[in-house]
Amino acid sequence: MRDKLEKHIQAGLKLFEERDYEGAYSELSQAIYQIEEEEGDMYMNPSQISEIFMFRASAMMAMDNHAAYNEEETFQEALQDYESAIDYDPKNPLLYNLRGKTYMRATYQDFLEEAKEDFNKALEINPKDASAMKSLGEVLSKQGQFDQAIRLLSQVLEEGKDAESFMLRGVANFKKPRADFAAAAADFERAIEILPQLDELYIWRAQSFQNLGDRQSAVKEYNRLIDRVPNISDYYVDRGSLLHNMDPEAAMKDYSYAIKLDQHPLAYNNRASLYVKKRLFDLAIQDAEKALNHPQSPTVAYATMAEIYANMNESDQMYKFLELALQHYYEDILDVYDNEAFKPYHQEEEFQKLVSKKKW
């Protein structure tokens, strides 16, 4: 009996290490059956049994990551294993951290309060648990309690510098009601120094500079990112959008390269907008049509097409696409009235009729 139990445990842990999560789940389930139904627990101490439940929960979540966090049945099954693990070893902060992080990742329901309880419990056991403090800071940020999150993450960073804590604090500084974009940019830079391969850090830093009104520095962040990862079309579109008015020719090159990489629909739309400025209307229409016909067509392309025909003084086509833009793209009436292309049409009855028909 004891040998059989040990065999299942060792096989399960080995398969888990090899990332054969289905096999690990099966072997650990056999071990748990023997513990619960055949008195196998007499050969093990509580912390050892706790570990088996912990690994089975982890294997279950890893077997089907999508189902684990999106489907209640699988999610609750894993939670039951974590509950059993905690019952056997209630003073182990790792278990509360793992369950708290599982709560955080659930998508079918908001479990942030449950996650917060687990991280607080881990901190009751070990007040210096950096993992629990960091995760609690992330939860507080998600709940809009940004100042508390910043204080907690700053405390973590006093003990040791790590990229995730800098990033989380940067996001909190970025998102809080009285945003501190300079502090956010500094945090993202510190995170980049530690973890330069994480693309989103450069993007967050670029957005921080944009909000500071420093587009040149934002462009430099995309330069750094593109130098490191040269074949992601989204990054060329983002840099092109920053350069759109500053340096239209450079923006044109970025949009064209994004199109070359993967027929990026927003690149077609934005390049069409630049062609309008050059009064190259045929090319603008071609690009806008490609944007509209793309499977992932951006709704802004309706507005772009309306702008093209407005500049060409073709009112019938302009109104056709303006109506579509009003249905699918515009959310603020001021954006319609501020668009230079539509200003000559403001007093026309058809324009007033279309704009007034939408419920703003």
Side-chain angles (χ1 to χ4, degrees):
M1 166 66 181
R2 184 172 184 173
D3 289 344
K4 186 178 179 182
L5 174 60
E6 185 65 24
K7 180 181 177 181
H8 285 304
I9 294 170
Q10 293 303 319
L13 296 178
K14 184 175 186 295
L15 289 167
F16 188 93
E17 187 178 343
E18 294 171 352
R19 299 188 180 183
D20 180 354
Y21 299 117
E22 189 170 347
Y25 179 83
S26 177
E27 291 289 345
L28 294 171
S29 294
Q30 289 291 327
I32 288 171
Y33 176 82
Q34 290 183 22
I35 290 167
E36 293 183 328
E37 304 297 332
E38 299 182 1
E39 299 184 347
D41 56 345
M42 65 186 296
Y43 303 111
M44 306 178 69
N45 65 47
S47 64
Q48 290 173 320
I49 298 173
S50 173
E51 187 176 66
I52 295 171
F53 279 104
M54 179 191 75
F55 274 107
R56 189 173 75 163
S58 298
M60 192 185 312
M61 303 306 274
M63 277 165 55
D64 187 343
N65 203 264
H66 177 80
Y69 297 104
N70 291 274
E71 297 177 8
E72 183 174 6
E73 184 177 352
T74 305
F75 186 81
Q76 291 297 332
E77 191 177 345
L79 286 183
Q80 288 174 13
D81 270 2
Y82 280 126
E83 187 67 35
S84 295
I86 288 169
D87 286 342
Y88 278 103
D89 194 4
K91 295 297 184 182
N92 186 348
L94 172 63
L95 299 174
Y96 295 99
N97 278 323
L98 288 172
R99 189 173 66 176
K101 289 177 181 177
T102 301
Y103 276 130
M104 282 179 66
R105 293 183 64 185
T107 56
Y108 76 93
Q109 188 174 324
D110 185 339
F111 288 106
L112 289 179
E113 280 301 317
E114 289 82 354
K116 187 192 293 186
E117 288 179 16
D118 272 347
F119 299 134
N120 278 319
K121 182 63 178 179
L123 288 168
E124 284 178 21
I125 298 167
N126 178 11
K128 293 187 177 181
D129 187 329
S131 178
M133 291 171 66
K134 188 188 308 182
S135 296
L136 181 56
E138 185 175 0
V139 170
L140 291 168
S141 186
K142 287 178 182 291
Q143 292 183 323
Q145 300 176 60
F146 299 111
D147 289 333
Q148 291 181 49
I150 290 167
R151 284 195 295 271
L152 199 58
L153 292 164
S154 297
Q155 190 175 340
V156 175
L157 288 164
E158 286 174 5
E159 299 298 321
K161 312 303 182 187
D162 72 279
E164 186 180 16
S165 295
F166 278 120
M167 182 179 74
L168 291 171
R169 190 174 70 176
V171 171
N173 274 311
F174 186 99
K175 289 185 174 182
K176 67 180 184 177
R178 296 181 65 180
D180 188 341
F181 296 118
D187 275 343
F188 296 134
E189 180 61 23
R190 295 295 299 276
I192 289 169
E193 291 170 2
I194 299 168
L195 194 65
Q197 65 268 36
L198 189 58
D199 293 7
E200 63 185 291
L201 293 171
Y202 300 87
I203 297 170
W204 275 113
R205 187 163 154 83
Q207 291 176 344
S208 298
F209 284 127
Q210 280 183 262
N211 281 282
L212 288 166
D214 186 354
R215 285 179 168 262
Q216 291 283 4
S217 293
V219 169
K220 288 179 182 177
E221 288 308 305
Y222 275 102
N223 292 344
R224 294 169 71 188
L225 180 55
I226 288 170
D227 285 344
R228 198 183 62 77
V229 189
N231 292 315
I232 305 295
S233 60
D234 283 345
Y235 301 158
Y236 290 93
V237 176
D238 289 347
R239 186 173 69 178
S241 297
L242 288 166
L243 292 165
H244 197 90
N245 294 316
M246 289 168 44
D247 188 343
E249 291 304 317
M252 181 77 78
K253 289 179 181 177
D254 273 348
Y255 298 144
S256 297
Y257 196 69
I259 290 166
K260 179 181 176 181
L261 284 173
D262 66 3
Q263 306 294 299
H264 198 293
L266 190 57
Y268 276 122
N269 176 82
N270 293 359
R271 192 171 71 173
S273 179
L274 288 179
Y275 280 137
V276 171
K277 292 183 178 182
K278 293 173 173 282
R279 305 196 68 77
L280 299 172
F281 298 124
D282 288 343
L283 291 175
I285 290 170
Q286 289 175 27
D287 270 2
E289 286 178 342
K290 287 176 181 176
L292 285 170
N293 292 328
H294 195 280
Q296 297 170 328
S297 173
T299 55
V300 66
Y302 292 117
T304 300
M305 193 69 89
E307 292 168 19
I308 295 169
Y309 285 114
N311 278 278
M312 294 173 69
N313 298 316
E314 293 190 17
S315 59
D316 288 347
Q317 287 289 87
M318 188 275 285
Y319 282 125
K320 169 188 168 183
F321 284 103
L322 178 59
E323 184 172 14
L324 290 167
L326 289 166
Q327 290 174 12
H328 301 290
Y329 173 65
Y330 284 115
E331 296 181 357
D332 189 334
I333 192 171
L334 292 179
D335 291 335
V336 183
Y337 276 97
D338 286 345
N339 193 314
E340 289 291 330
F342 304 144
K343 287 186 177 179
Y345 300 88
H346 284 183
Q347 303 309 314
E348 291 189 5
E349 183 179 350
E350 182 68 14
F351 186 90
Q352 293 295 324
K353 178 182 174 182
L354 285 178
V355 171
S356 62
K357 187 166 67 173
K358 182 179 172 72
K359 294 182 180 179
W360 298 97

